[in-house]
Amino acid sequence: MRGKIIAAGLLLCIGGAGIAAVAAADRQKAGPIRVYSVEKKGYVMTERVIKSDDEWRNQLTPEQFKVTRKKGTERPFANEYWNNHEKGIYQCVCCGLDLFDSATKFESGTGWPSYTAPLAKENIRTAEDRSFFSARTEVLCARCDAHLGHVFDDGPPPTGLRYCMNSAALKFAKEGSSPR
């Protein structure tokens, strides 16, 4: 009996891993997605960005690669945008997708840049994150699957959400600067 229970448990684990692998592969399928573009002032169709780890390593700094491609976290209060108060748009450091408007940025006291909402819900996606013995909601770029940070339900009005992002996952386009 005990052997059957162990075998059943192994099958569930293997089956779950297979489902996770299929889900991960499905996210990385090439094809068009609909996102919001600040430059175009509306929704546009764009292709997903899919690259190998070697291609990402060549494009990104070691810190950016660790955070965006390996789901790392940078140190609080020692990152580029936690204290940035300029007007503009925060974009994905990997693919340039517009993610957050500075108008939604607020002081969360956490040491990471925090926002009440993404620029458009289509520009991000979320996934369950059970790392570090807790359940959190991971935020990823909808176009290239870069890990951006996490969203929590302890933010200010109007959404009550706190999108706590890593500066290393973002680049900032200052309002009035030339198109990206």
Side-chain angles (χ1 to χ4, degrees):
M1 177 71 171
R2 184 173 180 204
K4 288 181 182 179
I5 293 172
I6 292 171
L10 285 172
L11 282 175
L12 284 173
C13 288
I14 292 167
I19 291 168
V22 169
D26 193 42
R27 280 194 307 272
Q28 284 295 313
K29 282 186 181 174
I33 59 169
R34 181 177 178 261
V35 296
Y36 186 84
S37 166
V38 171
E39 184 179 355
K40 302 288 184 190
K41 297 182 173 112
Y43 286 91
V44 298
M45 295 302 290
T46 187
E47 290 293 318
R48 292 186 189 278
V49 176
I50 301 168
K51 296 182 180 184
S52 69
D53 275 356
D54 285 340
E55 289 172 308
W56 287 123
R57 271 191 199 91
N58 288 333
Q59 176 184 328
L60 303 169
T61 68
E63 176 81 355
Q64 290 168 337
F65 180 80
K66 180 188 82 154
V67 168
T68 62
R69 309 324 305 179
K70 299 302 177 186
K71 303 182 186 296
T73 301
E74 65 197 359
R75 290 180 34 225
F77 301 105
N79 56 71
E80 189 172 1
Y81 300 125
W82 78 272
N83 201 26
N84 182 27
H85 300 286
E86 295 188 77
K87 291 183 180 179
I89 301 296
Y90 293 86
Q91 303 166 323
C92 177
V93 74
C94 296
C95 72
L97 184 63
D98 298 330
L99 299 171
F100 297 94
D101 188 318
S102 62
T104 67
K105 190 171 186 284
F106 70 97
E107 295 298 329
S108 65
T110 63
W112 289 283
S114 297
Y115 310 85
T116 57
L119 188 68
K121 64 180 169 61
E122 294 84 357
N123 291 28
I124 63 159
R125 68 176 194 80
T126 59
E128 184 179 18
D129 176 0
R130 290 204 166 269
S131 61
F132 302 109
F133 307 103
S134 65
R136 301 179 293 173
T137 303
E138 179 185 13
V139 179
L140 300 113
C141 174
R143 183 160 57 187
C144 72
D145 268 347
H147 169 77
L148 304 172
H150 293 87
V151 61
F152 302 95
D153 62 2
D154 60 1
T159 65
L161 298 174
R162 173 174 53 96
Y163 286 83
C164 189
M165 303 294 101
N166 289 286
S167 288
L170 305 171
K171 62 183 177 180
F172 182 69
K174 187 175 175 181
E175 189 175 276
S177 62
S178 59
R180 300 160 298 284

